[in-house]
Amino acid sequence: MIIGDFHYTAEIIEKRKVHKFDDIGCMLAYAQVNNLSHEKASFWVADFDTTIWIEAEEANFVISPEIHTPMGYGIIAFKDPIKAKEFAGTTRGRVLQFESVSKINWKSRYEH
């Protein structure tokens, strides 16, 4: 897969595999379809502002239909909770932690 914009990227690292995604929603859907949990893999996302990798459990996710991501899931991540809250305010979005976004049914939208 070619990553066109690193602001939206995510990856899952298993023992011997690395899965790269151009949209955080794709990572979440893939994890659900393949029953991947925190015990089986580590999850990483790019900070929207800096594109620096952060562990998904440390990220503040903003979800909004007004956020246009490569695959249309409408989810981005920030390390800084204040920046996440500000961005959510400008996009009528909501800020969630990884545990909460992992519970959303992403696999119903899984198209790959």
Side-chain angles (χ1 to χ4, degrees):
M1 167 178 292
I2 296 174
I3 305 294
D5 190 338
F6 289 98
H7 292 94
Y8 308 101
T9 57
E11 68 181 26
I12 298 172
I13 302 173
E14 294 182 85
K15 280 186 179 181
R16 297 175 190 222
K17 295 180 187 176
V18 176
H19 307 278
K20 297 184 181 288
F21 303 91
D22 63 349
D23 193 306
I24 294 170
C26 291
M27 175 191 73
L28 295 165
Y30 181 88
Q32 288 176 347
V33 167
N34 293 283
N35 295 315
L36 292 176
S37 65
H38 307 323
E39 294 80 30
K40 296 179 183 177
S42 61
F43 298 81
W44 294 81
V45 294
D47 177 88
F48 186 76
D49 279 340
T50 66
T51 68
I52 294 173
W53 289 110
I54 53 175
E55 288 190 67
E57 291 179 346
E58 296 177 6
N60 301 280
F61 294 90
V62 178
I63 300 173
S64 171
E66 293 182 16
I67 298 172
H68 301 287
T69 61
M71 299 305 291
Y73 284 95
I75 180 171
I76 59 174
F78 292 89
K79 182 162 181 84
D80 185 337
I82 295 169
K83 289 184 179 183
K85 187 175 180 180
E86 289 172 354
F87 200 92
T90 64
T91 60
R92 295 185 294 177
R94 56 189 173 137
V95 179
L96 298 171
Q97 302 307 306
F98 188 60
E99 183 178 338
S100 297
V101 297
S102 296
K103 293 178 182 175
I104 295 171
N105 184 5
W106 299 99
K107 66 183 178 181
S108 68
R109 298 180 55 193
Y110 189 67
E111 301 170 349
H112 297 69

